[in-house]
């Protein structure tokens, strides 16, 4: 068993979940900076006015901002070929609407990119990873407003120009399809209608804004693809989706239709637009039935057509089930995605149903649909880790999870899928996006940082660190 030559083994992070230094180097406030910590059962809170005694996990996170050299050296020890990270938009344009880019921010990422290149680690950069400038959310209600496109493109121009010749792979929006569901967008999608303190889960959902916001993101993404190619013909720009394959709970055709509907809306709609350059027909019915009217400008269809992405990427953590029987719908319990629990699968401690075979299935579906190179740019197990007395961390559960997913990726490659890379999530422990916790750990590297804000940020290798190093060295042959 081995993977294609040049396969990109690596890891992934996002700025707001690892950098910290939330106000250094001229950085402005990102939406996650006003979110408190939470737990699996207690939602984090949004506090537009920061509270003095409250802990905000993104403010210091794991201090990657000051420790990235140490972290990248550890990634290099594991043999990483690729590091997927995001740029915090607010480091480059603090409020989001400035005319000039912030030099200190550009310089910071230049250092980070150079550090990767020093070890022959290929950077893959997410341009927007759940961290819209809070300034733009306040001013315009985020992506609900078309003027966001201009700000985003100014930001793209600044980074595409500055990192030309050093970076090849870009992703326009992290998990863009999260906005097809109620929680989508992390304050970025025009769902913060009244700016007030509230539970994260209580954000007022306005589907019209969410889908209009998505339309603006599609246009922004398509124009960014064009811009990237003009600035550097070697640039490759991809989309990034949450892939959560949805099965019918039973072979009752009604369940199959329920699953197909969910697959259309959640798994395919955004990537169909970004990979094929047009809105799919099935969305017309959804918009009609949900009273959503997308405002388009005259040239929009042409922009979409001419701005298809070069490759497809996704996160993959779980699959989902749907039933046509409303009494079976088990919102919140089955999975984070509110499906029906799958009786054949076990869930993680956070209730995410683990389905490695679903990854093979998904990769085949994606390949059949788009025939574009594919990267799995997030995958992993959020779990509690324990430090033994001798300082070791035996995370065999994580190794088992990753091994089973890698096996299935290999099967997909044998099926004929053009899979180019794998960057598991949170290759170093970081703040959880959904709950704001540190205790939900994904890393190969443990970080001494805890949910009460204690810890000295020291780094420590888990058993999975040594295991992944072997996996990479053997190009996926040695999974023991
Ligand atoms: C993806 C996001 O949804 O999943 C990441 O792109 C996130 O930002 C990851 O951290 C894991 O989710 P969580 O909630 O466990 O951190």
């Amino acid at each position: 068993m081995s993977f294609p030559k040049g396969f990109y083994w690596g890891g992934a992070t996002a700025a707001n979940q690892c950098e910290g230094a939330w106000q250094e180097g001229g950085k402005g406030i990102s939406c996650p900076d006003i979110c408190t910590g939470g737990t699996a059962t207690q939602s984090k809170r949004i506090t537009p006015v920061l509270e003095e005694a409250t802990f905000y996990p993104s403010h210091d996170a794991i201090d990657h901002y000051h420790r990235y050299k140490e972290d990248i050296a550890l990634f290099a020890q594991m043999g990483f070929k690729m590091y997927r990270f995001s740029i915090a938009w607010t480091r480059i344009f603090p409020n989001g609407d400035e005319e000039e880019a912030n030099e200190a921010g550009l310089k910071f990422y230049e250092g980070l990119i150079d550090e990767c290149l020093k070890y022959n680690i290929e950077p893959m950069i997410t341009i927007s990873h759940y961290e819209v400038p809070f300034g733009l959310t306040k001013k315009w209600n985020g992506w609900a407003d078309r003027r966001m496109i201009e700000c985003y493109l100014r930001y793209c121009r600044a980074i595409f120009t500055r990192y030309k010749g050093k970076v090849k792979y870009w992703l326009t929006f992290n998990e863009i399809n999260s906005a097809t569901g109620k929680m989508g967008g992390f304050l970025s999608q025009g769902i913060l209608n009244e700016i007030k303190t509230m539970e994260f889960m209580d954000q007022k959902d306005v589907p019209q804004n969410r889908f209009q916001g998505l339309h603006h993101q599609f246009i922004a993404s398509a124009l960014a693809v064009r811009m990237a190619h003009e600035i550097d013909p070697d640039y490759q720009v991809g989309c990034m989706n949450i892939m959560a394959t949805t099965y019918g709970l039973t072979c009752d055709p009604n369940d199959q239709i329920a699953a197909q509907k969910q697959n259309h809306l959640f798994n395919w709609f955004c990537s169909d637009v970004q990979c094929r350059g047009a809105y799919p027909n099935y969305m017309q019915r959804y918009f009609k039935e949900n009273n959503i009217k997308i405002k388009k400008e005259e040239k929009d269809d042409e922009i979409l057509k001419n701005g298809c992405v070069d490759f497809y990427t996704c996160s993959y953590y779980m699959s989902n089930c749907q039933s046509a029987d409303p009494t079976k719908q088990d919102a919140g319990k089955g999975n984070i995605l509110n499906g029906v629990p799958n009786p054949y699968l076990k869930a993680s401690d956070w209730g995410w149903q683990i389905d490695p075979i679903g990854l093979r299935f998904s990769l085949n579906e994606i390949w059949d649909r788009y025939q574009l190179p594919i990267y799995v740019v997030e995958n992993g197990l959020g779990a509690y880790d324990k430090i033994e007395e001798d300082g070791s961390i035996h995370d065999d559960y994580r190794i088992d999870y990753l091994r089973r997913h890698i096996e299935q990726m290999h099967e997909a490659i044998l099926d004929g899928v053009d899979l180019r890379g794998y960057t598991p999530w949170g290759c170093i422990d970081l703040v959880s996006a959904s709950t704001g916790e540190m205790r939900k750990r994904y890393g190969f590297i443990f970080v001494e940082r805890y949910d009460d804000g204690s810890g000295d940020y020291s780094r420590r290798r888990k058993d999975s660190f040594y295991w992944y190093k072997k996996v990479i060295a053997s190009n996926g042959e040695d999974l023991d």
Side-chain angles (χ1 to χ4, degrees):
M1 157 153 175
S2 85
F3 280 73
K5 206 167 161 252
F7 189 81
Y8 281 117
W9 299 98
T13 64
N16 74 88
Q17 294 171 255
C18 71
E19 284 178 8
W22 73 297
Q23 287 193 307
E24 281 183 55
K27 182 182 171 295
I29 301 180
S30 306
C31 285
D33 292 330
I34 57 159
C35 290
T36 69
T39 66
T41 48
Q42 177 61 51
S43 169
K44 51 190 198 177
R45 283 184 305 121
I46 301 164
T47 65
V49 178
L50 294 176
E51 301 165 354
E52 228 167 74
T54 299
F55 177 62
Y56 293 91
S58 73
H59 291 189
D60 299 308
I62 59 153
D63 200 30
H64 187 58
Y65 184 83
H66 296 112
R67 293 162 203 257
Y68 72 82
K69 290 193 178 166
E70 180 191 347
D71 294 340
I72 293 171
L74 286 164
F75 300 160
Q77 273 181 31
M78 275 186 276
F80 276 24
K81 314 284 179 222
M82 178 172 266
Y83 176 35
R84 170 184 173 232
F85 59 90
S86 73
I87 292 184
W89 187 339
T90 50
R91 286 202 191 280
I92 313 298
F93 289 96
N95 197 59
D97 57 357
E98 294 86 349
E99 291 293 325
E100 296 297 322
N102 171 33
E103 175 56 28
L106 287 170
K107 217 165 170 183
F108 167 69
Y109 291 106
E110 192 154 53
L112 208 155
I113 292 164
D114 286 343
E115 202 62 20
C116 290
L117 298 179
K118 183 169 127 188
Y119 297 104
N120 284 325
I121 297 175
E122 183 79 49
M124 175 182 272
I125 299 185
T126 318
I127 299 169
S128 181
H129 190 128
Y130 293 149
E131 48 193 320
V132 159
F134 185 48
L136 295 181
T137 294
K138 274 198 289 196
K139 193 169 171 183
W140 291 328
N141 208 7
W143 281 102
D145 193 301
R146 192 167 176 115
R147 285 170 289 187
M148 288 289 285
I149 299 174
E150 204 184 304
C151 296
Y152 177 83
L153 291 173
R154 202 177 305 131
Y155 163 45
C156 287
R157 184 169 295 283
I159 56 179
F160 287 163
T161 314
R162 180 65 167 249
Y163 308 128
K164 181 176 166 163
K166 295 189 176 200
V167 173
K168 187 168 171 199
Y169 299 100
W170 301 92
L171 303 175
T172 51
F173 291 99
N174 181 64
E175 295 190 335
I176 189 165
N177 57 329
S178 61
T180 60
K182 188 172 172 236
M183 289 305 298
F186 286 66
L187 288 181
S188 67
Q189 207 69 15
I191 45 183
L192 188 65
N193 275 6
E194 300 144 40
I195 309 240
K196 61 173 191 193
T197 300
M198 67 181 112
E199 301 239 326
F200 195 80
M201 305 302 283
D202 289 345
Q203 292 175 69
K204 186 169 167 201
D205 182 38
V206 184
Q208 172 64 34
N209 282 355
R210 261 196 290 123
F211 284 95
Q212 188 63 47
L214 260 180
H215 180 70
H216 297 148
Q217 287 179 296
F218 293 149
I219 298 293
S221 173
L223 290 169
V225 171
R226 293 292 297 272
M227 182 195 285
H229 293 161
E230 276 157 26
I231 292 175
D232 185 343
D234 282 343
Y235 277 160
Q236 296 282 296
V237 187
C239 60
M240 197 300 199
N241 273 265
I242 307 175
M243 172 48 73
T245 274
T246 302
Y247 311 113
L249 184 64
T250 70
C251 53
D252 175 348
N254 290 305
D255 282 1
Q256 296 302 319
I257 288 291
Q260 186 179 54
K261 264 177 144 176
Q262 175 69 6
N263 275 317
H264 275 159
L265 175 66
F266 189 77
N267 289 315
W268 299 124
F269 162 42
C270 294
S271 51
D272 279 356
V273 176
Q274 292 186 290
C275 298
R276 293 169 158 172
Y279 274 66
N281 284 356
Y282 54 78
M283 285 310 286
Q284 300 311 329
R285 179 167 185 177
Y286 180 84
F287 290 151
K288 209 168 172 193
E289 289 177 358
N290 291 278
N291 200 22
I292 292 163
K293 295 189 180 65
I294 305 294
K295 266 186 248 129
K296 285 190 186 174
E297 289 192 357
E298 208 191 313
K299 291 232 162 87
D300 284 3
D301 287 342
E302 202 184 317
I303 292 173
L304 294 180
K305 199 165 135 216
N306 295 326
C308 292
V309 291
D310 302 306
F311 62 97
Y312 174 100
T313 79
C314 63
S315 61
Y316 180 85
Y317 294 94
M318 65 193 108
S319 58
N320 204 353
C321 273
Q322 288 291 325
S323 162
D325 175 354
T327 62
K328 295 244 168 61
Q329 288 295 343
D330 190 25
K333 276 193 206 148
N335 228 331
I336 193 178
L337 297 170
N338 293 345
V340 183
N342 184 330
Y344 296 98
L345 301 177
K346 292 204 176 90
S348 77
D349 288 336
W350 275 262
W352 294 16
Q353 293 207 303
I354 302 169
D355 182 12
I357 294 173
L359 177 56
R360 172 183 178 185
F361 182 85
S362 304
L363 290 171
N364 271 283
E365 295 274 295
I366 298 161
W367 173 247
D368 289 351
R369 204 170 179 107
Y370 303 129
Q371 274 97 50
L372 286 174
I374 302 170
Y375 295 75
V376 176
V377 295
E378 283 188 34
N379 170 240
L381 181 70
Y384 300 103
D385 288 332
K386 183 169 154 253
I387 307 183
E388 302 296 335
E389 264 168 32
D390 63 359
S392 54
I393 296 151
H394 303 309
D395 56 341
D396 44 309
Y397 36 89
R398 182 168 296 109
I399 294 174
D400 179 62
Y401 177 103
L402 295 168
R403 178 191 293 126
R404 292 198 287 137
H405 283 80
I406 293 174
E407 280 166 359
Q408 294 303 320
M409 287 191 308
H410 188 251
E411 290 295 330
I413 291 171
L414 295 178
D415 293 335
V417 172
D418 184 6
L419 181 66
R420 305 271 177 101
Y422 179 58
T423 56
W425 177 248
C427 44
I428 179 163
D429 289 348
L430 37 62
V431 176
S432 155
S434 56
T435 66
E437 291 164 295
M438 266 311 298
R439 66 170 75 80
K440 187 180 187 190
R441 296 176 181 272
Y442 285 86
F444 302 112
I445 301 161
F446 187 93
V447 178
E448 292 261 2
R449 177 75 174 160
Y450 301 98
D451 287 315
D452 57 1
S454 66
D456 63 5
Y457 299 104
S458 56
R459 276 60 171 151
R460 188 188 284 272
R461 297 166 186 79
K462 304 181 192 176
D463 285 358
S464 56
F465 179 101
Y466 303 103
W467 171 82
Y468 194 44
K469 186 177 169 165
K470 266 193 329 182
V471 172
I472 298 179
S474 64
N475 198 24
E477 247 173 71
D478 186 355
L479 296 180
D480 291 337

